[in-house]
PDB file of all heavy atoms in Angstrom:
ATOM      1  N   GLN A 493     103.924 105.399  89.006  1.00 98.00           N
ATOM      2  CA  GLN A 493     103.029 104.669  89.910  1.00 98.00           C
ATOM      3  C   GLN A 493     102.480 105.561  91.032  1.00 98.00           C
ATOM      4  O   GLN A 493     102.192 105.084  92.125  1.00 98.00           O
ATOM      5  CB  GLN A 493     103.709 103.416  90.458  1.00 98.00           C
ATOM      6  CG  GLN A 493     104.254 102.540  89.333  1.00 98.00           C
ATOM      7  CD  GLN A 493     104.526 101.103  89.744  1.00 98.00           C
ATOM      8  OE1 GLN A 493     104.222 100.193  88.999  1.00 98.00           O
ATOM      9  NE2 GLN A 493     105.069 100.897  90.908  1.00 98.00           N
ATOM     10  N   SER A 543      88.308  98.449  86.630  1.00 96.00           N
ATOM     11  CA  SER A 543      89.453  98.610  85.742  1.00 96.00           C
ATOM     12  C   SER A 543      90.665  99.181  86.491  1.00 96.00           C
ATOM     13  O   SER A 543      91.784  98.766  86.247  1.00 96.00           O
ATOM     14  CB  SER A 543      89.070  99.384  84.483  1.00 96.00           C
ATOM     15  OG  SER A 543      89.054 100.734  84.730  1.00 96.00           O
ATOM     16  N   TYR A 544      90.414 100.062  87.457  1.00 97.00           N
ATOM     17  CA  TYR A 544      91.531 100.541  88.289  1.00 97.00           C
ATOM     18  C   TYR A 544      92.137  99.373  89.077  1.00 97.00           C
ATOM     19  O   TYR A 544      93.343  99.176  89.106  1.00 97.00           O
ATOM     20  CB  TYR A 544      91.056 101.634  89.253  1.00 97.00           C
ATOM     21  CG  TYR A 544      92.085 102.032  90.302  1.00 97.00           C
ATOM     22  CD1 TYR A 544      93.085 102.942  90.011  1.00 97.00           C
ATOM     23  CD2 TYR A 544      92.057 101.458  91.575  1.00 97.00           C
ATOM     24  CE1 TYR A 544      94.039 103.290  90.960  1.00 97.00           C
ATOM     25  CE2 TYR A 544      93.006 101.801  92.534  1.00 97.00           C
ATOM     26  CZ  TYR A 544      93.985 102.713  92.227  1.00 97.00           C
ATOM     27  OH  TYR A 544      94.941 103.049  93.166  1.00 97.00           O
ATOM     28  N   ARG A 545      91.260  98.589  89.701  1.00 96.00           N
ATOM     29  CA  ARG A 545      91.757  97.492  90.543  1.00 96.00           C
ATOM     30  C   ARG A 545      92.579  96.493  89.739  1.00 96.00           C
ATOM     31  O   ARG A 545      93.620  96.022  90.191  1.00 96.00           O
ATOM     32  CB  ARG A 545      90.592  96.776  91.224  1.00 96.00           C
ATOM     33  CG  ARG A 545      89.929  97.639  92.303  1.00 96.00           C
ATOM     34  CD  ARG A 545      88.825  96.858  92.997  1.00 96.00           C
ATOM     35  NE  ARG A 545      87.811  97.722  93.576  1.00 96.00           N
ATOM     36  CZ  ARG A 545      87.855  98.204  94.822  1.00 96.00           C
ATOM     37  NH1 ARG A 545      88.854  97.903  95.615  1.00 96.00           N
ATOM     38  NH2 ARG A 545      86.892  98.984  95.262  1.00 96.00           N
ATOM     39  N   VAL A 546      92.082  96.174  88.545  1.00 95.00           N
ATOM     40  CA  VAL A 546      92.806  95.204  87.727  1.00 95.00           C
ATOM     41  C   VAL A 546      94.184  95.755  87.369  1.00 95.00           C
ATOM     42  O   VAL A 546      95.194  95.061  87.500  1.00 95.00           O
ATOM     43  CB  VAL A 546      92.002  94.860  86.454  1.00 95.00           C
ATOM     44  CG1 VAL A 546      92.862  94.102  85.463  1.00 95.00           C
ATOM     45  CG2 VAL A 546      90.765  94.058  86.832  1.00 95.00           C
ATOM     46  N   SER A 547      94.245  97.030  86.988  1.00 95.00           N
ATOM     47  CA  SER A 547      95.552  97.518  86.553  1.00 95.00           C
ATOM     48  C   SER A 547      96.507  97.682  87.736  1.00 95.00           C
ATOM     49  O   SER A 547      97.702  97.462  87.591  1.00 95.00           O
ATOM     50  CB  SER A 547      95.422  98.775  85.703  1.00 95.00           C
ATOM     51  OG  SER A 547      95.012  99.829  86.501  1.00 95.00           O
ATOM     52  N   VAL A 548      95.993  98.023  88.918  1.00 95.00           N
ATOM     53  CA  VAL A 548      96.882  98.142  90.082  1.00 95.00           C
ATOM     54  C   VAL A 548      97.405  96.780  90.513  1.00 95.00           C
ATOM     55  O   VAL A 548      98.550  96.645  90.946  1.00 95.00           O
ATOM     56  CB  VAL A 548      96.154  98.802  91.274  1.00 95.00           C
ATOM     57  CG1 VAL A 548      96.998  98.728  92.524  1.00 95.00           C
ATOM     58  CG2 VAL A 548      95.855 100.248  90.961  1.00 95.00           C
ATOM     59  N   SER A 549      96.568  95.761  90.361  1.00 94.00           N
ATOM     60  CA  SER A 549      96.987  94.434  90.836  1.00 94.00           C
ATOM     61  C   SER A 549      98.204  93.929  90.070  1.00 94.00           C
ATOM     62  O   SER A 549      98.860  93.002  90.500  1.00 94.00           O
ATOM     63  CB  SER A 549      95.825  93.455  90.737  1.00 94.00           C
ATOM     64  OG  SER A 549      95.578  93.202  89.373  1.00 94.00           O
ATOM     65  N   LYS A 550      98.504  94.558  88.939  1.00 96.00           N
ATOM     66  CA  LYS A 550      99.665  94.100  88.165  1.00 96.00           C
ATOM     67  C   LYS A 550     100.950  94.818  88.568  1.00 96.00           C
ATOM     68  O   LYS A 550     102.017  94.486  88.081  1.00 96.00           O
ATOM     69  CB  LYS A 550      99.407  94.347  86.673  1.00 96.00           C
ATOM     70  CG  LYS A 550      98.289  93.469  86.133  1.00 96.00           C
ATOM     71  CD  LYS A 550      98.060  93.730  84.663  1.00 96.00           C
ATOM     72  CE  LYS A 550      96.785  93.037  84.207  1.00 96.00           C
ATOM     73  NZ  LYS A 550      96.011  93.900  83.287  1.00 96.00           N
ATOM     74  N   LEU A 551     100.819  95.832  89.445  1.00 97.00           N
ATOM     75  CA  LEU A 551     101.999  96.642  89.776  1.00 97.00           C
ATOM     76  C   LEU A 551     102.789  96.071  90.948  1.00 97.00           C
ATOM     77  O   LEU A 551     102.256  95.390  91.810  1.00 97.00           O
ATOM     78  CB  LEU A 551     101.570  98.076  90.118  1.00 97.00           C
ATOM     79  CG  LEU A 551     100.808  98.846  89.043  1.00 97.00           C
ATOM     80  CD1 LEU A 551     100.463 100.238  89.553  1.00 97.00           C
ATOM     81  CD2 LEU A 551     101.622  98.920  87.763  1.00 97.00           C
ATOM     82  N   GLN A 552     104.055  96.404  90.968  1.00 97.00           N
ATOM     83  CA  GLN A 552     104.919  96.071  92.098  1.00 97.00           C
ATOM     84  C   GLN A 552     105.172  97.358  92.897  1.00 97.00           C
ATOM     85  O   GLN A 552     105.193  98.435  92.318  1.00 97.00           O
ATOM     86  CB  GLN A 552     106.247  95.530  91.572  1.00 97.00           C
ATOM     87  CG  GLN A 552     106.144  94.122  90.990  1.00 97.00           C
ATOM     88  CD  GLN A 552     105.566  93.138  91.987  1.00 97.00           C
ATOM     89  OE1 GLN A 552     106.010  93.076  93.141  1.00 97.00           O
ATOM     90  NE2 GLN A 552     104.548  92.389  91.575  1.00 97.00           N
ATOM     91  N   ILE A 555     104.157 102.039  95.350  1.00 98.00           N
ATOM     92  CA  ILE A 555     102.980 102.599  94.687  1.00 98.00           C
ATOM     93  C   ILE A 555     102.402 103.669  95.609  1.00 98.00           C
ATOM     94  O   ILE A 555     102.358 103.470  96.818  1.00 98.00           O
ATOM     95  CB  ILE A 555     101.901 101.505  94.504  1.00 98.00           C
ATOM     96  CG1 ILE A 555     102.435 100.335  93.683  1.00 98.00           C
ATOM     97  CG2 ILE A 555     100.628 102.076  93.873  1.00 98.00           C
ATOM     98  CD1 ILE A 555     101.566  99.089  93.743  1.00 98.00           C
TER      99      ILE A 555
END
Side-chain angles (χ1 to χ4, degrees):
Q493 306 199 138
S543 81
Y544 171 83
R545 290 183 205 270
V546 168
S547 70
V548 171
S549 70
K550 293 180 190 139
L551 301 180
Q552 287 304 311
I555 301 166

